[in-house]
Amino acid sequence: MAADTKAADTKLKSLEGKDFADYAREELPKGRWSDTWEVFKANFSKVVINNLLTLVFFVPLVAILYIRNVYVDAMSSILPFGANIGSASPHPTPDMEGLAEGLILSADAMFYSLAVVAALIASVGVAGCCYSMKKLVNTHGKFTIKSYFHGVKVCYLNTAIPVMFFSLVLFATMMVMDWKNLTIATGGSAAWPITAVVLMVILCVAVGLLCLWFIAVGVSYNVNPWQLVKNSCILLVGFIIQTIFIAAIALVPVWLLLWGTVSTFVKVITYMIFIVFGFSYVGIVWMSFTQWAFDIYITPSMEKEKEKARAQMTDKERAEEKAAEERRVAQEILAAGKSELVGRPVKPISDEVIAAVPKAFTRGDVAAAAASRAELQGAVASYEEEHKNDSVYVEYNKLFAEREKALQDTSKKGKKKKVSADNLLK
């Protein structure tokens, strides 16, 4: 087991440095799932916006499935599947065994083949949704429409491949189911058709789980198709139990939709969920879980990601970040109390060699040591003079000067004026 883990760790190391992220990750202040829940609650409006954008790209697929249901219902009500049948019928009727099943088979072949094409359009929404939800969790709330379409731009191909693959397997599964119904309805043997359906359902579930990992890897890392398949298979095998469990939780809206086929109330509730946050819920749960899995094998480097994000900043954004950092340092220093060591520039420790006086020394050794120390003192003084006007020191001394002035200030009644730390930091 340890050998398998080490091998998986070695293989997945190839993903390091290939992430798509246009942002800097932040460390989790809490656990993975508690942090995800906090982000989901605190940024629910962004979750809804992300869901509505995704829903737009699913409209063609939803429309095809709706028209298919309307078509099948219309054919069922128009054609006389149960009329004029039996010995009491005044007119001879043709053999209609399996006619309904045959019509459903032909309808499914037509509409589900169109659904496979519509899945390519839905892949746009899948790429944008998963990328945005991953960013929302990793940055604790950052989301923009621009970043949504950035995710589409860089991740679409890696998302469209697994979506198309799963759509084809699902299409084949539906065709086998319809063939089974037609065979049984026409009096054929049920053994082989049922066996074929069971095998296709198992294949469909396995391919579905694998494609979920395809999407997770494809949205997170810039890899070629072979690396996408290889790493996804490694992760599926390494986390098979967790994958089944989390996928079942992430796809709760889908289970409700299937349950809605027998309950109108559940169907209406499920439609509302999908309109408001259903797609985003699936994306945020799955991407949060897969990020946890990636972090086990691929050590996240927060500093590297911050440097990468900083390189993409504008000059104005860098200036604002620098000002914010200096202000944060000043606030921490003020809370700790004034220090002479912090209030003025101190030359950093370097690798410079300072001459020392040996045990057996001469006047030359003493002179060399004195000259070395004098040189060091000059460097320290030069550094202090060069950096004394840096904003961090100026702001630091200014804050304490204001505090000392405020403490000495008295009102007309001779009472000392109350000083607020909040006021001093503004």
Side-chain angles (χ1 to χ4, degrees):
M1 184 67 180
D4 292 341
T5 303
K6 185 177 181 180
D9 182 47
T10 303
K11 292 177 181 178
L12 291 172
K13 285 294 183 182
S14 61
L15 295 176
E16 287 188 355
K18 297 181 179 180
D19 54 290
F20 276 126
D22 62 335
Y23 54 85
R25 284 182 59 186
E26 297 181 8
E27 297 183 10
L28 298 177
K30 301 179 180 179
R32 169 69 57 181
W33 292 111
S34 60
D35 191 68
T36 301
W37 173 240
E38 291 296 330
V39 170
F40 184 83
K41 290 192 301 180
N43 301 275
F44 189 72
S45 59
K46 298 176 182 178
V47 171
V48 173
I49 294 173
N50 179 80
N51 194 80
L52 293 176
L53 286 172
T54 306
L55 182 61
V56 170
F57 297 103
F58 273 81
V59 167
L61 179 59
V62 173
I64 289 172
L65 297 179
Y66 175 76
I67 295 172
R68 178 263 177 198
N69 291 335
V70 171
Y71 176 81
V72 171
D73 291 341
M75 297 298 290
S76 299
S77 61
I78 294 173
L79 295 178
F81 295 117
N84 298 328
I85 298 178
S87 59
S89 174
H91 303 288
T93 56
D95 184 8
M96 303 185 71
E97 289 183 351
L99 179 59
E101 288 76 10
L103 289 173
I104 292 176
L105 176 61
S106 62
D108 287 349
M110 176 176 62
F111 286 105
Y112 285 141
S113 60
L114 293 175
V116 171
V117 178
L120 290 175
I121 302 175
S123 299
V124 176
V126 174
C129 176
C130 291
Y131 183 88
S132 298
M133 291 297 96
K134 182 183 178 73
K135 179 178 180 178
L136 190 74
V137 173
N138 285 342
T139 60
H140 296 101
K142 292 183 180 179
F143 169 82
T144 60
I145 296 177
K146 180 180 178 180
S147 68
Y148 182 96
F149 287 101
H150 174 76
V152 174
K153 177 182 177 181
V154 299
C155 306
Y156 175 74
L157 183 60
N158 287 346
T159 303
I161 292 173
V163 170
M164 174 60 69
F165 183 37
F166 176 72
S167 299
L168 291 172
V169 174
L170 182 61
F171 172 75
T173 302
M174 298 303 299
M175 292 299 97
V176 171
M177 287 182 174
D178 291 343
W179 168 72
K180 183 263 295 181
N181 294 332
L182 178 61
T183 301
I184 295 175
T186 54
S189 174
W192 284 110
I194 293 176
T195 302
V197 168
V198 171
L199 293 176
M200 287 302 299
V201 169
I202 294 174
L203 176 64
C204 190
V205 172
V207 170
L209 295 175
L210 183 60
C211 287
L212 284 174
W213 275 112
F214 282 174
I215 293 172
V217 176
V219 168
S220 303
Y221 300 99
N222 183 14
V223 293
N224 57 47
W226 165 243
Q227 290 178 323
L228 180 66
V229 173
K230 183 186 70 172
N231 291 305
S232 298
C233 292
I234 293 172
L235 288 162
L236 176 60
V237 173
F239 295 96
I240 183 63
I241 302 300
Q242 298 94 323
T243 297
I244 295 172
F245 179 72
I246 297 299
I249 295 176
L251 296 175
V252 165
V254 178
W255 312 141
L256 291 176
L257 187 63
L258 296 176
W259 185 19
T261 57
V262 295
S263 173
T264 304
F265 175 75
V266 175
K267 182 186 294 185
V268 173
I269 296 298
T270 305
Y271 288 163
M272 293 302 299
I273 290 175
F274 269 107
I275 291 173
V276 179
F277 65 88
F279 296 106
S280 295
Y281 166 80
V282 175
I284 199 170
V285 171
W286 182 247
M287 297 312 296
S288 183
F289 162 69
T290 54
Q291 186 63 66
W292 165 80
F294 294 146
D295 289 347
I296 291 177
Y297 290 117
I298 307 168
T299 305
S301 177
M302 301 298 180
E303 290 301 321
K304 288 183 179 179
E305 292 183 1
K306 287 180 180 179
E307 290 175 4
K308 182 178 178 181
R310 195 175 291 114
Q312 298 175 351
M313 289 182 176
T314 62
D315 292 339
K316 182 179 179 181
E317 290 174 335
R318 291 194 188 95
E320 291 175 351
E321 183 187 43
K322 181 179 179 181
E325 178 63 18
E326 291 176 349
R327 181 176 177 80
R328 182 189 65 79
V329 172
Q331 290 174 338
E332 292 179 355
I333 292 173
L334 179 58
K338 186 175 181 180
S339 170
E340 290 299 326
L341 293 176
V342 182
R344 62 187 180 87
V346 177
K347 188 178 183 298
I349 297 174
S350 62
D351 296 331
E352 296 177 11
V353 179
I354 302 174
V357 179
K359 291 183 178 180
F361 58 89
T362 63
R363 289 181 179 273
D365 295 330
V366 174
S372 179
R373 292 173 184 175
E375 183 181 353
L376 177 61
Q377 291 175 353
V380 170
S382 176
Y383 182 88
E384 182 176 352
E385 182 66 24
E386 183 181 352
H387 294 277
K388 68 179 182 180
N389 293 324
D390 287 1
S391 59
V392 62
Y393 302 112
V394 173
E395 185 68 18
Y396 174 86
N397 292 315
K398 180 181 177 182
L399 287 172
F400 281 100
E402 290 176 353
R403 184 175 72 170
E404 291 172 0
K405 181 179 178 181
L407 288 173
Q408 295 174 359
D409 189 16
T410 56
S411 63
K412 294 181 179 180
K413 295 183 180 181
K415 295 183 179 180
K416 288 187 177 181
K417 190 176 181 180
K418 185 177 180 180
V419 180
S420 169
D422 294 333
N423 294 333
L424 288 176
L425 296 176
K426 290 182 180 179

